[in-house]
Amino acid sequence: MLESVSHPIVLNPDGLDIQGESARIRAQGPVTAVALHDGVRAWSVTDQAILRDLLRDKRVSKDPRQHWPAFQDGRITPAWGLFTWVAVTNMFTAYGSDHTRLRRLVQPAFTQRRTDAMRPRIEAITQDLLDRLAQTPPGEAVDLREEFAYPLPIRVISELMGVPESLNPGLRTCVDGIFDTSLTAEQAQANFAEMQRILRELVEYRRGTPGDDMTSVLIAHRSEEDGSALTEQELVDTLLLVISAGHETTVNLLDQAIFLLLTRPDQLAQLNSGAVDWKNDLVEEVLRYEAPVAHLPLRYAVEDIDIETADGIVHIGRGEPILASYAAANRDPKVHGDTADQFDVTRINKAHMAFGYGAHLCLGAPLARMEAEVALPAIFRRFPGMRLAADRSELGTVASFISNGHKRLPVLLTS
């Protein structure tokens, strides 16, 4: 039975104040109970050192079928708002040898060599998007989240996966729905079903027209011998994982970086002068300061775990769910001191966990970093007079406590 606080903070499904909420959770303790959809409780871990230890601890699993009693006995049903996040069968929810097997199948698509080979395409897509933005009539605002931050990573990951252009609009709608924690249970179920339908259509398309893409490679693994290397459901759910995780974090990274620099011209000037570096200074500080994924559900204690904190021992019981609260852990004052809540590209220690840690470290992290490294200096050099076209209070937020980004990012491209 989860304890820690009698009235745990209920995570806002609309993501209205992710950083403020994270600070309030941290104030209740480095490991404390929070409430998710329908009152389901989980242990939120906001201490960076403790979270790192848990993410590499073999006593912590991501497989609810083996290690979450509420899922095993049917209390967690498709009607639960976060069911998609725990019920898929891919490396995201795998444990032990199953995770090793599934990760090994995806890993070749994200080698350093293959990532480096994507740079020319990333540069070309970036220039294409900038050329389109340049056609915006003078004085007319343009939403950079919609017209730049979103299309760049979705085009990159779609090419990597071999997605035909006809499927892109539907996939985008479904991916948005997966991260939208404000959907009703019925909406979430319908969205998941449509996502599965589209991905199965993608599989059938690539079976008939194989190419040098991830989907075709995974299909080949599916067809090996007796098919034991990859089941059909694992194939579809692996594609779901790659296409959703493969672009959502980058959308938010680009969105937050542009916003932060437009509201901090002194730090933009340091980047433009070369005093600090776009890749190692800006990108890493944005990932630390505004984690693209704020809270990531879920993990489970394989056995009882006792965690020593400054306030005493926190006991996580066998089978209890654990929430990796990256937004809070990245601003841990024990790591970043009194300036943890300040954005500073000159910060020496930018240690963060934006892409996870341990066995489940995001395979696409180098690709996301490369996209940001290419796109951010390019857009600020192309439009040096760019400025926000709305008050920051009017930008809104993504309707999610998982995805951490603005609802819109309107700017004027020229002064």
Side-chain angles (χ1 to χ4, degrees):
M1 183 72 177
L2 286 171
E3 296 178 358
S4 174
V5 289
S6 56
H7 299 288
I9 291 174
V10 180
L11 295 188
N12 188 316
D14 294 310
L16 297 178
D17 183 24
I18 282 177
Q19 295 297 351
E21 191 171 73
S22 294
R24 291 190 291 276
I25 294 170
R26 186 191 299 111
Q28 293 190 341
V31 182
T32 189
V34 296
L36 310 177
H37 288 63
D38 298 330
V40 172
R41 291 194 180 191
W43 291 104
S44 171
V45 185
T46 60
D47 181 286
Q48 194 170 123
I50 293 174
L51 184 54
R52 283 181 184 275
D53 287 344
L54 285 174
L55 295 190
R56 63 188 177 192
D57 194 325
K58 293 183 178 180
R59 297 174 300 168
V60 176
S61 167
K62 293 196 75 177
D63 188 346
R65 292 170 178 81
Q66 293 188 63
H67 301 119
W68 193 14
F71 189 93
Q72 294 168 317
D73 62 22
R75 283 175 287 160
I76 299 298
T77 71
W80 190 52
L82 297 176
F83 188 79
T84 300
W85 285 89
V86 303
V88 290
T89 53
N90 55 35
M91 66 181 182
F92 182 78
T93 57
Y95 175 73
S97 59
D98 276 342
H99 174 258
T100 301
R101 171 178 62 89
L102 292 167
R103 189 177 177 95
R104 186 181 297 123
L105 294 175
V106 178
Q107 205 156 12
F110 293 99
T111 62
Q112 190 62 53
R113 180 190 61 80
R114 184 145 190 167
T115 299
D116 290 341
M118 290 290 292
R119 182 181 286 271
R121 281 302 298 147
I122 294 170
E123 292 172 343
I125 294 170
T126 298
Q127 289 307 312
D128 178 56
L129 293 172
L130 293 177
D131 290 343
R132 295 186 187 190
L133 289 173
Q135 298 173 20
T136 305
E140 181 177 310
V142 61
D143 182 354
L144 284 190
R145 183 176 175 93
E146 179 68 23
E147 303 297 335
F148 187 71
Y150 204 107
L152 172 60
I154 195 66
R155 284 175 62 177
V156 170
I157 200 66
S158 292
E159 289 188 13
L160 185 68
M161 293 181 62
V163 179
E165 191 171 338
S166 61
L167 294 183
N168 274 331
L171 280 176
R172 171 183 175 164
T173 299
C174 290
V175 169
D176 287 349
I178 287 173
F179 282 89
D180 187 345
T181 53
S182 70
L183 295 182
T184 65
E186 292 77 14
Q187 290 171 325
Q189 288 180 69
N191 183 75
F192 180 64
E194 177 63 7
M195 183 68 159
Q196 293 275 311
R197 185 196 68 78
I198 293 173
L199 290 174
R200 290 182 188 281
E201 185 176 337
L202 168 61
V203 170
E204 289 309 307
Y205 173 78
R206 280 303 168 197
R207 278 202 173 106
T209 56
D212 183 26
D213 58 81
M214 179 187 292
T215 303
S216 298
V217 170
L218 290 176
I219 289 171
H221 282 297
R222 167 73 182 103
S223 304
E224 285 179 353
E225 299 177 354
D226 60 356
S228 61
L230 194 67
T231 69
E232 189 75 6
Q233 191 60 54
E234 286 174 340
L235 167 61
V236 172
D237 285 352
T238 295
L239 294 174
L240 185 155
L241 170 63
V242 174
I243 201 164
S244 54
H247 87 275
E248 183 72 16
T249 53
T250 312
V251 174
N252 290 336
L253 170 56
L254 297 175
D255 163 13
Q256 295 285 9
I258 293 169
F259 169 77
L260 289 165
L261 291 181
L262 289 180
T263 54
R264 293 163 177 80
D266 57 327
Q267 299 197 44
L268 175 58
Q270 290 179 293
L271 287 159
N272 286 332
S273 71
V276 289
D277 181 71
W278 290 88
K279 176 183 178 181
N280 297 313
D281 293 318
L282 172 67
V283 172
E284 297 309 308
E285 178 64 353
V286 174
L287 289 168
R288 183 201 72 82
Y289 186 74
E290 291 289 2
V293 173
H295 305 277
L296 190 63
L298 276 174
R299 286 171 166 82
Y300 320 93
V302 174
E303 58 186 70
D304 289 356
I305 300 174
D306 288 329
I307 300 174
E308 185 175 352
T309 74
D311 299 322
I313 300 295
V314 175
H315 177 77
I316 299 179
R318 178 178 176 273
E320 293 183 341
I322 299 167
L323 188 70
S325 295
Y326 295 130
N330 284 0
R331 295 195 186 187
D332 187 347
K334 290 194 289 297
V335 177
H336 299 293
D338 295 338
T339 64
D341 287 323
Q342 297 175 22
F343 179 74
D344 181 7
V345 293
T346 67
R347 182 186 303 277
I348 301 301
N349 178 15
K350 299 180 177 70
H352 65 77
M353 304 180 68
F355 293 112
Y357 191 74
H360 286 269
L361 179 69
C362 178
L363 284 172
L367 182 62
R369 285 183 165 105
M370 178 181 289
E371 290 176 57
E373 173 194 349
V374 169
L376 291 171
I379 192 170
F380 279 99
R381 288 167 186 158
R382 185 70 171 269
F383 305 110
M386 183 167 57
R387 60 187 174 87
L388 281 178
D391 187 82
R392 64 180 68 191
S393 64
E394 300 172 342
L395 304 182
T397 59
V398 176
S400 176
F401 61 67
I402 299 172
S403 182
N404 178 25
H406 298 100
K407 185 175 183 180
R408 63 193 189 101
L409 190 63
V411 304
L412 293 171
L413 294 173
T414 57
S415 299

